[in-house]
Amino acid sequence: MATDNGGAIGSGGGGGGAGGSNGEHDLSDSLKTFGAVLKALREEARLTQEEFAQRVQYSTAYVAKIEQGKRFPPSDLPSRAEPALGAAAAKVLGAAARSLTRRAGLASWFRQWAGIEEEAVSLYAYECRAIPGLLQPEPYIRAIFERRLPPLTEEEIEAQVSARLERQRLLTERPNTAFAFVIEQALLVRRVGGREVTEAVIDHLLATGARRNVEIQIMPLCQEDHTGVDGQMYLAEAPGHQWVGYTEGQRSSSLITAPKDVSVLLQRYGRLRSQALDCGASLSLLKEMRGAL
């Protein structure tokens, strides 16, 4: 499945889950069905979206997107909804969620992660493949999708660009979320899309890195002590302070929830942050690279 990330949340490479176009259509249809079921149950309980969101402790905007079929429902939604909707309704919702998961297969993972991402109080990313999706300016997004194989139609490219730019609103709409990114310098040296696109990327990184809730660190080309050899990783801290991880391959992705596995990612990410340039040195390097283009 082609996600709104280029790669999933982060890059411009894979898809936020495997599967072809049929899997994507199936997922879209089943998400809409689940959303319609949730809306019907909520209305039967005579609750507004705002009232229901408050009772299940999610944002109203998040509940709205689930009902519209735009977000994969979190796994604990049926249990959270039971006090508000009743035991019978919660069972219906749980059955719908299980059916959705079976039909979606791997293609569900990015949708589920996107929902986690929207509610996160902390979001960490390490990328060695492409600039993280949340930090990609429009010229870079277009450069990625114009090079996608199999080739995309113009309509598909426009849809992907719009989806990714929409997702980037997280950085401004969630000022209390702490965003941290570790990015390989090699991704800028590669100059995907050419010099002008790379200039746009660096300018965007400089502007975004100036935000109070965003930290951007560059991993220099030469770093003998490097913990990122196993590839990219993403970590999110949920409102309840549980941590969840996410990784991607070429045509697959994994949501990582087992505490021992998440602990491994957190340890590795902490070491990566210590190995990368600090934010000030990263800013200086970006300015130097910008001037050298």
Side-chain angles (χ1 to χ4, degrees):
M1 148 182 164
T3 68
D4 67 347
N5 211 17
I9 54 176
S11 66
S21 59
N22 288 339
E24 174 69 11
H25 292 317
D26 288 346
L27 176 59
S28 178
D29 290 343
S30 54
L31 281 171
K32 290 177 181 177
T33 300
F34 181 90
V37 169
L38 175 59
K39 181 179 179 181
L41 293 172
R42 174 181 59 76
E43 291 179 343
E44 180 67 21
R46 299 188 178 183
L47 294 173
T48 65
Q49 280 187 344
E50 292 79 6
E51 291 168 338
F52 178 73
Q54 186 176 14
R55 295 197 187 189
V56 296
Q57 297 182 321
Y58 290 123
S59 69
T60 303
Y62 187 29
V63 170
K65 287 181 179 179
I66 294 173
E67 290 190 356
Q68 293 162 10
K70 295 180 179 179
R71 284 291 179 266
F72 198 94
S75 59
D76 62 349
L77 180 58
S79 61
R80 288 195 185 205
E82 183 171 351
L85 303 180
K91 287 183 178 180
V92 171
L93 205 58
R98 288 190 294 274
S99 176
L100 176 60
T101 301
R102 284 196 299 270
R103 292 182 63 190
L106 286 173
S108 71
W109 288 125
F110 181 73
R111 298 290 183 112
Q112 190 167 5
W113 175 262
I116 292 170
E117 191 180 53
E118 284 195 350
E119 296 295 306
V121 297
S122 301
L123 186 68
Y124 297 164
Y126 163 65
E127 265 298 351
C128 53
R129 308 170 308 167
I131 301 300
L134 286 174
L135 299 179
Q136 294 176 2
E138 185 171 340
Y140 186 86
I141 300 172
R142 292 188 179 279
I144 286 171
F145 286 116
E146 285 169 358
R147 289 158 177 76
R148 174 63 57 81
L149 291 174
L152 301 178
T153 66
E154 289 300 320
E155 292 77 10
E156 288 171 332
I157 291 174
E158 291 304 319
Q160 295 284 5
V161 171
S162 296
R164 186 161 311 180
L165 292 174
E166 167 70 17
R167 193 172 134 260
Q168 291 178 1
R169 293 169 58 186
L170 282 176
L171 294 171
T172 55
E173 292 181 350
R174 296 191 61 82
N176 298 119
T177 295
F179 295 90
F181 302 90
V182 176
I183 306 169
E184 292 286 343
Q185 182 183 355
L187 302 181
L188 299 167
V189 174
R190 186 176 300 147
R191 296 192 184 185
V192 170
R195 182 178 62 82
E196 291 185 0
V197 171
T198 304
E199 288 178 346
V201 171
I202 294 177
D203 288 344
H204 192 63
L205 292 176
L206 290 171
T208 306
R211 297 189 61 83
R212 190 176 304 167
N213 63 328
V214 177
E215 293 184 0
I216 296 176
Q217 294 179 256
I218 303 298
M219 182 68 74
L221 286 174
C222 296
Q223 174 54 277
E224 294 182 4
D225 187 20
H226 195 311
T227 311
V229 293
D230 284 344
Q232 52 84 251
M233 70 179 84
Y234 290 83
L235 288 152
E237 181 186 9
H241 305 296
Q242 306 94 342
W243 284 88
V244 180
Y246 180 91
T247 61
E248 278 196 342
Q250 282 280 339
R251 297 288 291 169
S252 63
S253 56
S254 296
L255 190 68
I256 300 169
T257 58
K260 65 177 183 179
D261 295 328
V262 175
S263 175
V264 169
L265 295 187
L266 283 168
Q267 291 178 52
R268 291 178 180 176
Y269 192 80
R271 184 64 61 85
L272 280 168
R273 293 180 81 172
S274 71
Q275 294 165 344
L277 300 176
D278 64 30
C279 293
S282 296
L283 177 67
S284 297
L285 177 60
L286 287 171
K287 290 179 178 178
E288 180 183 329
M289 294 181 71
R290 178 67 168 81
L293 288 172

